[in-house]
Amino acid sequence: MDLREHRSKLSSDRKATTTTDMETIYTFFNIGIVATLFGTRGEDSAGNVYYNTPWIYIIPALILVLFVAYLMGSFNFATFISKKKYNDDIREHGSGNAGMTNMMRTYGTKAAAFTLLGDFLKTVLAVFVGYLVFGKTGGYVAGLGAVIGHTWPLYYNFKGGKGVVTAITMILCTKPILALLLIIIFVAIVAATKYISLGSIMCSLLYPVLLHNFGTVGIIELICCFLVVVLLVYNHRENLKRLYAGKENKFSFKKSK
């Protein structure tokens, strides 16, 4: 074997190793630690690999994921920023909601941007933990836990936000193309009506309708999806009343006085 052939073989071996490593990482995050350790590997007629994991391991794993994600979601950045930066509590202003929109109206664009970033990152971390523990299913369960935590935060007397940013981040981590589509629909609705609540509610309702068009979804994942939708609609119940009465506040980038 001459030098050129040797280099070609080395390059080919590196590519093969890299491909194998990427496939291993993808498979690991698709099934998680629990299935890797306690599941039995199988393959269907189409050649798709799956892992049968006993429920005795699945249930504790998903409860753990839900609890950890709830604790992460409970860190409410709107409340934290309003207290640390403004010596105030955002929940005592405007709609009383500890979320990005109320931060925008009360403290302005910068405060809202930091709130958005914080809520986005905490949800990404929560869903990552879910994937790590029990793959894609764990990611959905973690997203649900983060939304629950954001709505009823343990650290802030169980009074938080409506969970819209948390929910869309969950969808972005589990079904990114669907998330982008929902964001486009949301922007279009808000641009046309100036009602953020209407855009949030409509996109929430569209989420389960469109979900099956973006890949296979398991029963646990579907349950998490519907529970997130129920939570979001419930959190917007006062907005629905105001929309019906024609008294809902329209969105503006101007800081409220």
Side-chain angles (χ1 to χ4, degrees):
M1 182 185 294
D2 62 22
L3 184 59
R4 184 176 297 178
E5 289 177 340
H6 180 66
R7 287 176 177 173
S8 177
K9 185 177 184 304
L10 284 176
S11 177
S12 177
D13 289 345
R14 280 196 207 99
K15 287 179 181 178
T17 302
T18 302
T19 301
T20 302
D21 290 343
M22 291 301 293
E23 288 175 351
T24 301
I25 292 170
Y26 173 78
T27 302
F28 179 76
F29 277 99
N30 199 42
I31 63 174
I33 293 173
V34 173
T36 302
L37 293 178
F38 305 109
T40 303
R41 189 180 187 278
E43 192 172 316
D44 61 21
S45 57
N48 298 314
V49 175
Y50 62 89
Y51 282 75
N52 285 320
T53 308
W55 281 100
I56 194 172
Y57 300 114
I58 294 175
I59 293 173
L62 294 183
I63 290 174
L64 175 64
V65 166
L66 187 69
F67 179 67
V68 171
Y70 168 76
L71 295 179
M72 291 180 176
S74 288
F75 194 85
N76 187 283
F77 280 86
T79 306
F80 176 78
I81 292 170
S82 65
K83 287 186 174 184
K84 289 295 181 180
K85 183 171 177 59
Y86 302 100
N87 296 315
D88 201 357
D89 191 335
I90 184 60
R91 297 171 295 180
E92 296 177 2
H93 298 275
S95 63
N97 177 55
M100 182 189 69
T101 304
N102 203 26
M103 289 290 280
M104 171 79 78
R105 288 171 174 155
T106 306
Y107 303 118
T109 306
K110 187 175 180 181
F114 278 111
T115 301
L116 172 64
L117 179 62
D119 289 341
F120 171 80
L121 291 176
K122 77 178 182 185
T123 310
V124 169
L125 182 59
V127 175
F128 175 80
V129 170
Y131 268 94
L132 192 63
V133 174
F134 203 71
K136 183 173 64 172
T137 302
Y140 276 86
V141 172
L144 172 62
V147 174
I148 295 172
H150 186 81
T151 303
W152 296 293
L154 177 66
Y155 319 124
Y156 301 103
N157 300 318
F158 302 99
K159 186 180 179 184
K162 293 175 181 173
V164 175
V165 172
T166 309
I168 196 64
T169 304
M170 164 198 170
I171 302 169
L172 190 63
C173 293
T174 54
K175 297 287 184 185
I177 303 301
L178 175 56
L180 293 175
L181 176 60
L182 290 174
I183 290 170
I184 291 170
I185 294 171
F186 172 81
V187 170
I189 292 172
V190 175
T193 66
K194 299 296 188 293
Y195 291 128
I196 284 186
S197 57
L198 182 61
S200 301
I201 295 164
M202 291 302 297
C203 288
S204 300
L205 296 173
L206 283 171
Y207 174 36
V209 175
L210 297 173
L211 188 61
H212 273 294
N213 295 320
F214 291 85
T216 306
V217 182
I219 185 64
I220 296 176
E221 296 151 15
L222 197 59
I223 290 171
C224 290
C225 160
F226 276 105
L227 289 176
V228 166
V229 172
V230 169
L231 266 175
L232 291 179
V233 174
Y234 173 79
N235 290 344
H236 284 86
R237 61 195 182 281
E238 296 300 323
N239 302 87
L240 283 168
K241 292 177 184 177
R242 289 194 295 269
L243 283 167
Y244 182 77
K247 296 180 180 179
E248 177 71 326
N249 293 323
K250 291 191 174 184
F251 177 74
S252 171
F253 279 101
K254 293 181 180 179
K255 174 182 170 181
S256 62
K257 302 296 183 182

